[in-house]
Amino acid sequence: MVHKSRFTRSVRSTAVLGAAIVLFLGGCGGIARGAAFQPTGTAPPPTATTTPSAVGNAFMAPQPNGSAELTWDPGNDHTLTVALSLAGLAPMNPGSYPSAPYPATLGSGDCQHQGSMLHQLAAVTADRYGAGSSATTIKGIAGGIPARDWYIALHAPAAGNQGASLACANVINPKPSTTEKQSVKARLRGVPHEQGGEGAHGKARLSLSGTTLTVTLSLVGLAPGSHHDAHIHSGSCAKQGPVVHPLETVVADSSGRAQVVTTIQGVQAISDNWYIHVHNGTDLKTQAGYQPIACGDVFVRS
């Protein structure tokens, strides 16, 4: 009876040990079929990622743009004075192309529904930074500045002022009067292609990894199928400077949209003294080709 009891206990111990071995081998088999076995307390190796050392952005706005200020003085022969100030013009550059002044008009209606021209305004001539201004004095405006239904347009240089409207402003006078002196300011904005102008808008992202700069430029509002030179310049949209880096040619699709990516080697930093220009064409030896249609100042975040 003693020998039989010992034999029974031995058999039971062997069975338990065998079951434990089976479970262990099954577990190891599960690890082999799945992820690699990791010792307790050891994390898997991290996935390699590339983090940009700097990122820049630019919001691209239609060009040109600026302001108009209208004043009317009934005590001075009902005189209307219109002062224009603009940036984003093709800079005066006699070495590359003959610079012509930009005609300006005061018309009836608004920028979306332009009526007849009421008065020819003094043309705007750009300086070497692409900025310009003009002032026009018109006597005998008995009715003053109306509440609405006036607009001011800046046109592309062309004979007879029939060039496209590059920039436009609706004149809104909240307190019209025929007896008191009036002063009204209006914002001149670039006119997109779909509204009869040449402007476009969008955004640009600049990413610097090591010394490799990647620029992604996205635009809408272009003429379908059109081609445009683009550059990174030093300076600002308000005070244009020289080219720092050329970008890939912008080519619009059939809906007037475009996205281009440019990779530039050997760049040490993204400067907050940069801006991105998109030109009206690819022939920059003409004023019409050079004319900026979209511009954005670059701002940087590390």
Side-chain angles (χ1 to χ4, degrees):
M1 292 296 291
V2 173
H3 293 296
K4 184 176 181 180
S5 176
R6 288 178 180 174
F7 176 76
T8 302
R9 287 198 299 270
S10 176
V11 170
R12 289 175 179 173
S13 299
T14 302
V16 170
L17 177 61
I21 292 172
V22 169
L23 289 173
F24 175 77
L25 292 177
C28 290
I31 293 173
R33 289 192 297 271
F37 174 72
Q38 296 291 335
T40 302
T42 303
T47 303
T49 58
T50 301
T51 302
S53 56
V55 173
N57 293 280
F59 296 105
M60 308 296 294
Q63 300 295 295
N65 61 75
S67 63
E69 185 169 0
L70 298 83
T71 57
W72 179 74
D73 188 355
N76 183 25
D77 201 13
H78 298 90
T79 297
L80 175 69
T81 301
V82 181
L84 305 180
S85 179
L86 288 115
L89 305 170
M92 180 187 293
N93 193 358
S96 297
Y97 51 79
S99 294
Y102 292 80
T105 56
L106 172 64
S108 62
D110 58 40
C111 292
Q112 287 69 42
H113 306 91
Q114 297 184 10
S116 60
M117 184 184 73
L118 299 175
H119 299 284
Q120 183 73 50
L121 304 178
V124 176
T125 299
D127 62 15
R128 63 192 181 98
Y129 300 114
S133 60
S134 72
T136 305
T137 300
I138 307 168
K139 295 184 180 295
I141 307 298
I145 303 172
R148 56 187 67 250
D149 296 328
W150 275 8
Y151 73 92
I152 293 174
L154 184 83
H155 305 275
N161 299 332
Q162 297 304 308
S165 295
L166 299 182
C168 191
N170 292 324
V171 178
I172 305 297
N173 184 6
K175 296 181 179 180
S177 173
T178 58
T179 58
E180 297 181 358
K181 189 173 181 179
Q182 302 282 285
S183 181
V184 174
K185 292 183 178 181
R187 175 76 182 273
L188 281 156
R189 302 178 186 272
V191 180
H193 173 78
E194 63 266 24
Q195 297 177 15
E198 298 175 350
H201 51 92
K203 61 182 179 180
R205 186 179 189 273
L206 300 84
S207 177
L208 184 64
S209 296
T211 59
T212 300
L213 176 65
T214 302
V215 182
T216 303
L217 177 61
S218 304
L219 295 166
V220 297
L222 298 163
S226 58
H227 291 60
H228 309 269
D229 274 1
H231 307 89
I232 297 174
H233 292 250
S234 64
S236 66
C237 295
K239 191 175 182 180
Q240 300 172 34
V243 172
V244 177
H245 299 292
L247 301 178
E248 296 290 338
T249 301
V250 175
V251 180
D253 63 15
S254 58
S255 64
R257 297 174 176 268
Q259 183 176 83
V260 293
V261 179
T262 305
T263 302
I264 306 167
Q265 303 293 338
V267 179
Q268 300 301 317
I270 300 174
S271 173
D272 56 6
N273 190 43
W274 284 357
Y275 68 97
I276 294 178
H277 241 176
V278 179
H279 301 273
N280 192 38
T282 57
D283 183 3
L284 304 190
K285 293 183 179 180
T286 66
Q287 186 174 1
Y290 191 97
Q291 173 60 46
I293 60 171
C295 188
D297 293 330
V298 174
F299 61 93
V300 185
R301 60 181 179 88
S302 299

